[in-house]
Amino acid sequence: MASHTPHPYYPRMLILDHYVPNELTTIEILILLFSTFGVLILGALFFSYQKRQSSIVGVGQQLTFVWFVLSGFIHLFLEGYFSVRNRTLAGEQTLLAQTWKEYSLSDSRYLSSDSFVVIMETITAFAWGPLAFYTAYAQYADSPARYIAQLILSLGQLYGDILYYLTTIYEGMPHCDPHPYYTYFYFGFFNMFWIIIPLVLIHNSVKNLYRGMTIAQAAKTTSKSVKTKKTN
Amino acid sequence: MASHTPHPYYPRMLILDHYVPNELTTIEILILLFSTFGVLILGALFFSYQKRQSSIVGVGQQLTFVWFVLSGFIHLFLEGYFSVRNRTLAGEQTLLAQTWKEYSLSDSRYLSSDSFVVIMETITAFAWGPLAFYTAYAQYADSPARYIAQLILSLGQLYGDILYYLTTIYEGMPHCDPHPYYTYFYFGFFNMFWIIIPLVLIHNSVKNLYRGMTIAQAAKTTSKSVKTKKTN
């Protein structure tokens, strides 16, 4: 161990010779990250407010719109950065690299380029990222694709996150600093959003699609019976 | 290496001390497996044929029904067996265990209880398995949930299979016997069904749901304008 670069990550025997400690403090990273989220949330709220009389009605739908926009940015930029730079991340000092080095205290798979994490994050960044923006747009425009996009996005996020949690929990969480701050706040709390909100939105999508398909089936039957009557 | 049980799997340094060679030959396993598939396919065809005038019209829809039923059996029984028994599989001689030992020549992660494979297969077995049967039922009954279930099932299968392929390809396929029979037939060909067919069925679901939601939106607008006229 003595010949390797010391680092604060778990498992302790992990070799990360390209690791360089963050220049920013934890507080500075969290403030920068949450300020960015704050600006994105306010921007999305402003947009959604313009459609409050038509396609984005009520607080629930406005928050859903904010969620799609925020998800899109997190997937495409934060997770996209990880996808592209994961092999050299531990030695970098950009804001996004420092954010990942801080988060990795709760999951070192982000610094060791674990194959599942890299592939799942790449799909999340470049499939679910753009889809999140499209879903926001489809909601804004009240497109018939609105709940279809919401269902695909939410199911993709949910399945990815369940796999993410369970693959390391199954191994006894060797990649996480056992301090409760990292276990419960970073690993547990941050990722829980992509379990709970997708579950709610899948339920909401299925309900709306089921209602729509019931109306469409009835409309078809009516038009058929009208046609039959005319033939008679 | 000398003190460990010899086995035919890759990577060659993998330790599988509980491994016992199969009693059945490859040909016997393949005949038993494909005979079972044959019986299931014929049974599903027989069922679908009864609905050929109503909900399961044409060869395409009949094959889709067969796919849901066959998927359901493979997920629930073959993959369910793996999910429950993966830790002791390498030493077992049941037909399902021997099938997995044969398949594992193309992917030893099934015998080493790789965390991603175990979690993904467990979700496939116990979430997508029952959902596949429900999707077959929803198609049979022409339920409004038909294309919703088809979309969720197919997306789950597709995402799981893409992760399955890419997580080992990313590592240079160290878990696969490099013989083309294992690389292309077992690993490549067998799993390719769960890429191609879900892609087709996702496209088919989205098309049908989009059409349905367009009709439902128009019906809503019509009923609104009728109401408005009456009020006037």
Side-chain angles (χ1 to χ4, degrees):
Chain A
M1 285 290 289
S3 62
H4 290 295
T5 310
H7 65 70
Y9 300 101
Y10 283 76
R12 298 302 298 133
M13 62 189 182
L14 180 68
I15 296 168
L16 285 175
D17 282 342
H18 59 309
Y19 170 70
V20 180
N22 273 350
E23 286 166 358
L24 296 168
T25 64
T26 301
I27 290 295
E28 286 169 339
I29 291 172
L30 291 179
I31 287 174
L32 282 168
L33 189 69
F34 286 112
S35 310
T36 312
F37 288 171
V39 170
L40 293 173
I41 289 170
L42 287 177
L45 268 180
F46 171 78
F47 260 94
S48 72
Y49 195 68
Q50 302 179 324
K51 290 284 187 177
R52 71 189 182 284
Q53 305 292 352
S54 54
S55 57
I56 310 180
V57 184
V59 178
Q61 291 203 355
Q62 295 208 354
L63 291 178
T64 307
F65 181 80
V66 169
W67 168 252
F68 294 142
V69 173
L70 191 61
S71 272
F73 275 100
I74 291 173
H75 292 339
L76 202 55
F77 294 99
L78 192 58
E79 293 170 278
Y81 186 87
F82 167 77
S83 167
V84 173
R85 308 284 302 173
N86 65 83
R87 289 192 178 271
T88 53
L89 210 56
E92 296 179 5
Q93 295 292 12
T94 62
L95 176 60
L96 290 174
Q98 293 197 53
T99 305
W100 280 117
K101 280 194 278 178
E102 176 65 25
Y103 176 74
S104 295
L105 290 163
S106 80
D107 191 349
S108 67
R109 295 182 294 175
Y110 281 86
L111 297 186
S112 62
S113 294
D114 172 86
S115 62
F116 162 71
V117 169
V118 170
I119 302 299
M120 181 276 291
E121 286 291 8
T122 301
I123 293 170
T124 302
F126 302 113
W128 310 147
L131 181 60
F133 288 122
Y134 174 76
T135 308
Y137 163 77
Q139 190 190 15
Y140 192 86
D142 202 17
S143 158
R146 173 177 181 163
Y147 294 107
I148 306 169
Q150 178 177 311
L151 178 59
I152 295 174
L153 174 70
S154 302
L155 187 64
Q157 292 174 326
L158 178 69
Y159 193 8
D161 202 13
I162 287 177
L163 288 168
Y164 172 73
Y165 268 132
L166 294 185
T167 43
T168 182
I169 289 172
Y170 176 76
E171 295 181 1
M173 293 181 67
H175 317 98
C176 183
D177 185 324
H179 190 289
Y181 176 77
Y182 300 111
T183 310
Y184 295 108
F185 186 50
Y186 285 11
F187 183 74
F189 178 74
F190 277 166
N191 295 296
M192 196 50 78
F193 289 93
W194 277 273
I195 299 282
I196 294 170
I197 301 177
L199 273 177
V200 172
L201 294 181
I202 288 170
H203 177 257
N204 173 263
S205 286
V206 169
K207 199 181 66 184
N208 278 286
L209 289 171
Y210 188 87
R211 197 185 291 153
M213 295 307 280
T214 307
I215 293 169
Q217 268 193 351
K220 226 170 164 184
T221 317
T222 314
S223 78
K224 261 187 197 165
S225 65
V226 169
K227 272 182 197 163
T228 318
K229 267 188 187 168
K230 276 184 183 168
T231 321
N232 292 351
Chain B
M1 285 289 289
S3 63
H4 289 297
T5 309
H7 66 70
Y9 300 100
Y10 282 77
R12 297 303 296 132
M13 63 189 179
L14 180 69
I15 295 168
L16 286 174
D17 283 340
H18 59 308
Y19 170 69
V20 180
N22 272 350
E23 285 165 357
L24 295 169
T25 65
T26 302
I27 289 295
E28 286 169 339
I29 290 171
L30 292 179
I31 288 175
L32 283 167
L33 190 68
F34 287 112
S35 311
T36 311
F37 288 172
V39 170
L40 294 173
I41 289 169
L42 287 177
L45 269 180
F46 170 78
F47 260 95
S48 72
Y49 195 69
Q50 301 178 326
K51 289 284 186 174
R52 71 191 182 283
Q53 307 293 352
S54 55
S55 58
I56 311 178
V57 184
V59 177
Q61 291 203 356
Q62 294 208 353
L63 290 178
T64 306
F65 181 81
V66 169
W67 167 253
F68 294 142
V69 173
L70 192 61
S71 272
F73 274 101
I74 290 173
H75 293 338
L76 203 55
F77 294 99
L78 192 58
E79 293 169 278
Y81 187 86
F82 167 77
S83 168
V84 174
R85 307 285 300 175
N86 66 83
R87 289 195 178 268
T88 53
L89 210 58
E92 295 180 7
Q93 295 293 12
T94 60
L95 176 59
L96 290 174
Q98 293 197 52
T99 305
W100 280 118
K101 281 194 278 178
E102 176 64 25
Y103 176 76
S104 295
L105 289 163
S106 80
D107 192 347
S108 66
R109 294 182 293 175
Y110 280 87
L111 298 186
S112 61
S113 294
D114 172 86
S115 62
F116 163 70
V117 169
V118 169
I119 302 298
M120 181 275 290
E121 286 292 10
T122 301
I123 292 168
T124 302
F126 303 113
W128 311 146
L131 181 60
F133 288 121
Y134 174 75
T135 309
Y137 164 77
Q139 189 189 17
Y140 192 86
D142 201 17
S143 158
R146 175 177 181 164
Y147 293 106
I148 306 169
Q150 179 176 312
L151 178 59
I152 295 174
L153 175 69
S154 302
L155 186 65
Q157 292 174 323
L158 178 70
Y159 193 9
D161 202 12
I162 287 177
L163 288 168
Y164 173 72
Y165 268 132
L166 294 185
T167 43
T168 180
I169 288 171
Y170 176 77
E171 296 180 2
M173 288 180 69
H175 317 98
C176 182
D177 185 325
H179 190 288
Y181 176 77
Y182 300 111
T183 311
Y184 296 109
F185 186 50
Y186 284 10
F187 182 73
F189 178 75
F190 277 165
N191 295 296
M192 197 47 80
F193 288 93
W194 277 273
I195 299 284
I196 295 171
I197 301 177
L199 274 177
V200 172
L201 295 181
I202 287 169
H203 176 257
N204 173 264
S205 287
V206 169
K207 200 181 65 185
N208 277 286
L209 289 172
Y210 189 87
R211 197 184 291 154
M213 295 308 279
T214 307
I215 294 171
Q217 268 193 351
K220 227 170 162 184
T221 318
T222 315
S223 79
K224 262 186 197 165
S225 64
V226 168
K227 271 182 198 161
T228 317
K229 269 188 186 169
K230 275 184 184 166
T231 318
N232 294 349

